[in-house]
């Protein structure tokens, strides 16, 4: 590097020239990358993670694999397809002692399902989302023996929309999908299976 | 009625146990017709964060970067930078919970470019490009005060320990290797490893697995004594910023006007980024051994790249196991797996059925992924060879400098060194020029200097 007195305007030395050239090349490269990536980007809408209830195998990974504890996945209840059964297989363990709200009779480990009497013999079942951990135990009972009105959904008020959903990575049924931001839930209107 | 429903349920249970799989298209229990005036509830669907808010994030990023550049280059205020990094820590860290984040953005770009069907979110693209453009012009202002990871490590730094040069140089290659690995796994669709092993994001979320939370705790404790360990020795985006910053238009200067060689700033940098003046060699012949060494490393560079590539291609088998399809096929084809019970579907078959896949189709997919990994392994290995070779070459380069200057690439623009300079103190009116002249009397190193943290 030549010795340049600071009073005279410095001529462009070799290092400066290389630096400017590299910066220009880097800007061009970034521009090209941006252009290429812009062809692969969507301008209007984003995508979010969601569970396809038809593929869910109620393995329980949603409760444990999410980066959030408790999970962003919770059980939802589709009332129009619920049978309002007295013996709800999503609510009661197999062969319950009695059809009451006793903890030993409930399948839900956190007592997140509320059982409300409507009229004989119908009971309404509501999910308390603050308590639900997304373990899918009720989903299994309801889908196997009932109408399948309990199913898991990613709740977008909690989901952080990770680059790589850590539940999707371990999902046993390959049920996780990226769905458009404008239509972020897969709501059941009929029973699956 | 109640008894009837119970009987139906029991029959169904029996039917399920006998058939193995139940397949009922219509509702088993028709929804009741209520006699009371019961009103049925609906499914609540809380909406995701609306798209305009993502653009707010980009606007905050640009605003913070602009403010950072002003604070670093014009205002020269460490205090302002601390305030800005506190804001970034709160906004990008604890409010946005580390997502969206520039550190993982190279993976989004790689994934988007190599995996058809994935669209890169516009915000991820913006978070990838904008800090790099700023670094090309004004150095690592993103690291200084905008990145929440850097802010957290910088704010907890209490007693910096000097990292030995050999360790610094050796560990300094890790970010480039991690970047290469992140891009390899993203491009092949195996996952986002940079995000998966990010130690700070779980701290921002105040939740996570025990492993990653302990890793985060370890990094926070380390950063109390070693300046920015993640930024210096791991951050893959920092590697890109370092390269960009090497050719930046404006550089961080310790002194506002001229350096008096007082050595007061020498120990003010906790990241070992301040370089001492190096006199040109007394005689050109003294350069000969350096030149020979440089020539040797330059000649060795292609060999290193090729050897790295060859070794990298061997990594394809273990590395491809991170891809979910390959992992599933390996389990499926595992010769030691237990014999399936006749009549009962195995878990893999059920999983394949649910995924609407056939085993041969999956095996084909996995084989294609492994071929991609072989190709990617060559690239990755070659990249590692290039990184090591380039590091050896840069160590053999001799540069002369007259003043105490921050290294262009290594400087995080944190502003700690500014107030160590007596000329800066005069400029700020903190001391008189006469006092500065007393300090400037070319002292021996490290007698009165203490690391300056405003």
């Amino acid at each position: 590097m030549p010795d340049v007195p600071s009073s005279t305007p410095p001529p462009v030395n070799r290092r400066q020239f290389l630096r400017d050239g590299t910066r220009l090349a880097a800007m061009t490269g970034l521009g090209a990358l941006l252009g290429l990536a812009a062809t692969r980007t969507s301008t209007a809408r984003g995508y979010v993670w969601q569970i396809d209830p038809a593929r869910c195998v109620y393995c329980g990974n949603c409760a444990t694999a999410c980066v959030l504890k408790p999970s962003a996945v919770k059980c939802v209840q589709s009332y129009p397809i619920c049978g309002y059964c007295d013996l709800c297989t999503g609510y009661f363990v197999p062969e319950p002692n009695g059809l009451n709200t006793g903890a030993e009779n409930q399948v839900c480990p956190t007592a997140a399902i509320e059982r409300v009497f409507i009229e004989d013999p119908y009971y309404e079942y509501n999910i308390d989302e603050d308590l639900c951990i997304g373990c899918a135990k009720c989903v299994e009972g309801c889908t196997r023996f009932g109408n399948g009105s309990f199913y898991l959904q990613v709740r977008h008020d909690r989901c952080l929309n990770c680059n790589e959903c850590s539940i999707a990575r371990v999902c046993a049924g390959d049920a996780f999908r990226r769905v458009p931001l404008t239509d972020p839930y897969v709501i059941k209107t009929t029973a699956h299976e | 009625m109640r008894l009837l429903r119970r009987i139906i349920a029991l029959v169904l249970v029996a039917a399920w146990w006998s058939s193995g799989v139940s397949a009922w298209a219509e509702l088993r229990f028709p929804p009741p017709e209520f006699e009371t005036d019961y009103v049925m509830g609906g499914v609540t669907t809380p909406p995701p964060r609306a798209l305009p808010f993502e653009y707010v994030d980009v606007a905050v990023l640009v605003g913070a970067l602009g403010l950072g550049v002003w604070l670093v280059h014009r205002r020269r205020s460490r205090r302002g930078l601390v305030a800005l990094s506190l804001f970034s820590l709160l906004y990008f860290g604890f409010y946005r919970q580390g997502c969206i984040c520039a550190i993982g953005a190279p993976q989004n770009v790689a994934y988007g470019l190599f995996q058809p069907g994935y669209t890169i979110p516009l915000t991820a693209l913006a978070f990838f490009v904008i800090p790099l453009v700023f670094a090309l012009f004004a150095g690592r202002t993103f690291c200084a005060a905008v990145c929440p990871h850097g802010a957290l490590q910088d704010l907890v730094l209490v007693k910096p320990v000097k990292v030995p040069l050999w360790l610094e140089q050796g560990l300094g290659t890790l970010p480039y290797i991690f970047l290469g690995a992140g891009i390899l796994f993203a491009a092949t669709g195996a996952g986002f490893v940079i995000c998966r092993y990010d130690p700070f994001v779980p701290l921002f979320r105040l939740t996570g697995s025990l492993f990653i939370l302990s890793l985060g705790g370890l990094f926070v404790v380390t950063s109390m004594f070693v300046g920015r360990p993640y930024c210096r020795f791991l951050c893959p985006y920092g590697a890109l910023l370092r390269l960009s910053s090497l050719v930046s238009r404006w550089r961080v200067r310790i002194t506002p006007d001229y350096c008096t060689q007082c050595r007061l700033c020498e120990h003010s940098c906790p990241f070992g980024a301040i370089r001492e003046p190096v006199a040109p060699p007394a005689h050109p012949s003294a350069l000969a051994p350096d030149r020979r060494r440089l020539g040797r490393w330059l000649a060795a560079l292609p060999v290193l790249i090729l050897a790295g590539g060859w070794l990298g291609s061997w990594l394809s088998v273990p590395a491809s196991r991170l891809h979910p399809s390959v992992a599933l096929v390996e389990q499926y084809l595992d010769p030691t797996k237990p014999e399936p019970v006749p009549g009962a579907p195995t878990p893999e078959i059920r999983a394949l059925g649910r995924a609407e896949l056939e085993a041969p189709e999956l095996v084909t997919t996995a084989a294609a992924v492994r071929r991609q990994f072989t190709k990617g392994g060559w690239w990755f290995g070659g990249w590692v060879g290039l990184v090591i070779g380039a590091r050896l070459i840069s160590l053999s380069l001799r540069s002369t400098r007259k003043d105490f200057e921050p290294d262009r690439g290594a400087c995080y623009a944190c502003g700690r060194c500014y107030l160590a300079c007596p000329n800066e103190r005069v400029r700020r009116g903190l001391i008189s020029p006469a006092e500065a002249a007393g300090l400037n009397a070319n002292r021996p190193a490290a007698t009165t200097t203490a690391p300056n943290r405003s």
Side-chain angles (χ1 to χ4, degrees):
Chain A
M1 197 165 147
D3 248 14
V4 182
S6 57
S7 53
T8 57
V12 176
N13 60 39
R14 191 181 62 211
R15 286 193 177 207
Q16 193 58 48
F17 175 75
L18 281 176
R19 210 163 263 149
D20 288 348
T22 317
R23 184 165 62 249
L24 198 68
M27 290 293 286
T28 319
L30 269 183
L33 196 66
L34 195 68
L36 199 61
T39 61
R40 295 285 174 81
T41 183
S42 66
T43 47
R45 48 188 204 173
Y47 285 85
V48 287
W49 292 102
Q50 194 47 274
I51 300 172
D52 180 357
R55 288 187 166 186
C56 174
V57 293
Y58 12 92
C59 62
N61 280 346
C62 285
T64 51
C66 185
V67 294
L68 294 178
K69 312 273 181 271
S71 171
V73 171
K74 297 206 181 280
C75 179
V76 297
Q77 158 79 306
S78 266
Y79 295 95
I81 58 171
C82 178
Y84 289 83
C85 311
D86 179 13
L87 170 55
C88 172
T89 47
Y91 186 83
F92 289 112
V93 293
E95 297 175 25
N97 287 331
L99 297 188
N100 54 45
T101 56
E104 73 278 17
N105 301 327
Q106 294 187 30
V107 93
C108 181
T110 58
I113 308 175
E114 185 194 23
R115 184 174 194 252
V116 184
F117 175 73
I118 305 291
E119 62 181 60
D120 193 55
Y122 301 128
Y123 286 82
E124 186 190 52
Y125 295 92
N126 304 312
I127 308 282
D128 183 346
E129 286 203 1
D130 291 339
L131 294 179
C132 179
I133 55 166
C135 67
K137 287 193 192 327
C138 60
V139 179
E140 176 165 19
C142 183
T143 312
R144 281 195 168 157
F145 310 122
N147 283 354
S149 66
F150 282 152
Y151 53 96
L152 293 183
Q153 286 285 282
V154 175
R155 305 304 277 169
H156 291 297
D157 50 342
R158 288 181 54 73
C159 177
L160 299 166
N161 200 18
C162 297
N163 258 339
E164 175 196 36
C165 175
S166 63
I167 313 174
R169 214 167 74 224
V170 295
C171 177
D174 196 16
F176 273 74
R177 295 278 171 274
R178 282 184 194 272
V179 297
L181 189 67
T182 45
D183 191 14
Y185 289 92
V186 182
I187 297 300
K188 263 192 185 182
T189 47
T190 52
H192 288 281
E193 281 207 334
Chain B
M1 189 68 186
R2 185 181 290 185
L3 187 72
L4 188 69
R5 288 177 88 84
R6 279 193 206 170
I7 290 168
I8 291 173
L10 281 175
V11 168
L12 277 171
V13 172
W16 184 80
W17 281 116
S18 55
S19 70
V21 181
S22 58
W24 288 59
E26 70 278 9
L27 300 180
R28 289 173 186 135
F29 303 100
E33 285 165 22
F34 295 106
E35 285 153 20
T36 52
D37 50 354
Y38 164 71
V39 183
M40 198 175 275
V43 185
T44 55
T45 52
R49 198 162 180 270
L51 214 50
F53 285 106
E54 310 285 317
Y55 299 131
V56 169
D57 290 343
V58 177
V60 172
L61 172 77
V62 174
L65 278 169
L67 185 60
V69 169
W70 180 72
L71 285 169
V72 168
H73 294 281
R74 281 261 169 270
R75 190 76 215 289
R76 295 172 60 83
S77 162
R78 166 75 189 149
R79 201 164 288 182
L81 285 167
V82 168
L84 184 59
S85 44
L86 258 177
F87 165 77
S88 305
L89 181 65
L90 291 177
Y91 185 83
F92 291 114
F94 288 103
Y95 169 60
R96 292 299 291 125
Q97 308 206 312
C99 255
I100 179 105
C101 151
I103 295 172
Q107 301 170 111
N108 287 73
V109 175
Y111 192 70
L113 291 181
F114 286 94
Q115 300 286 319
Y118 173 74
T119 53
I120 311 170
L122 210 60
T123 38
L125 198 56
F127 267 72
F128 173 69
V129 171
I130 294 171
L132 283 179
V133 173
F134 270 82
L136 280 172
F137 282 90
R140 301 173 73 171
T141 26
F142 177 76
C143 302
V146 184
C147 177
H149 294 57
L152 180 62
Q153 293 170 80
D154 204 297
L155 292 171
V156 299
L157 179 59
V158 283
K159 183 99 181 79
V161 178
K162 194 172 158 52
V163 180
L165 197 64
W166 60 270
L167 194 62
E168 171 117 36
Q169 292 288 346
L171 291 176
T173 55
L174 285 181
Y176 299 96
I177 296 170
F178 195 25
L179 175 70
I183 288 178
L184 170 72
F185 286 119
T188 48
F192 290 68
V193 283
I194 298 175
C195 300
R196 207 181 297 173
Y197 298 110
D198 190 305
F200 296 109
V201 165
L203 298 182
F204 297 145
R205 292 173 179 162
L206 305 175
T207 177
S209 69
L210 179 66
F211 166 71
I212 206 81
L213 276 175
S214 350
L215 194 68
L218 192 70
F219 264 102
V220 170
V221 172
T222 313
S223 33
M224 291 166 75
F225 306 105
V226 179
R228 294 183 179 239
Y230 185 78
C231 306
R232 276 156 94 190
F233 306 128
L234 220 51
C235 180
Y237 193 68
L240 287 175
L241 288 170
R242 175 186 286 257
L243 292 178
S244 308
S245 176
L246 281 176
V247 295
S248 66
R249 177 83 181 73
W250 301 288
R251 64 181 306 179
V252 175
R253 293 193 179 280
I254 301 170
T255 171
D257 33 36
Y258 61 94
C259 177
T260 54
Q261 316 259 332
C262 64
R263 308 179 75 99
L264 284 173
C265 61
E266 203 175 19
H267 300 285
S268 63
C269 183
F271 315 120
I274 293 181
R275 301 283 177 265
E276 287 182 5
V278 179
H283 196 268
S285 66
L287 280 175
D290 285 359
R291 210 172 275 151
R292 270 199 298 278
R293 193 171 53 170
L294 179 61
R296 273 203 297 276
W297 286 130
L298 277 174
L301 187 62
V303 181
L304 277 171
I305 294 176
L306 278 177
W310 183 74
L311 285 174
S313 69
W314 284 97
L315 277 177
S316 69
V317 173
S320 64
R321 286 191 186 126
L322 249 75
H323 195 285
S325 302
V326 179
L328 188 60
V329 166
E330 290 217 333
Q331 279 175 26
Y332 188 75
L333 299 177
D334 185 7
T336 61
K337 72 177 174 184
E339 280 295 307
V341 183
T346 59
E348 305 102 270
I349 289 183
R350 271 202 197 138
L352 284 171
R354 294 278 180 169
E356 290 162 19
L357 277 174
E358 296 288 327
E361 190 190 339
L362 191 65
V363 172
T364 321
T365 320
V369 170
R370 188 163 280 177
R371 273 196 301 279
Q372 278 183 349
F373 261 97
T374 311
K375 209 197 292 173
W378 272 98
W379 279 100
F380 172 67
W383 168 250
V384 174
L386 175 70
V387 166
I388 294 172
R391 181 52 57 117
L392 291 170
I393 287 170
S394 79
L395 286 175
S396 322
L397 286 176
R398 171 191 276 269
S399 60
T400 55
R401 70 180 84 68
K402 289 181 298 169
D403 299 341
F404 280 89
E405 285 174 348
D407 184 274
R408 276 174 178 268
C411 174
Y412 292 101
C414 69
R416 282 192 178 83
C417 53
Y418 292 156
L419 276 182
C421 179
N423 285 350
E424 172 76 7
R425 285 178 175 259
V426 171
R427 187 186 74 95
R428 293 267 191 99
L430 295 173
I431 54 172
S432 67
E435 279 175 295
L439 284 172
N440 281 343
N442 226 347
R443 301 188 164 205
T447 46
T448 56
T449 39
N452 189 315
R453 303 189 64 230
S454 72

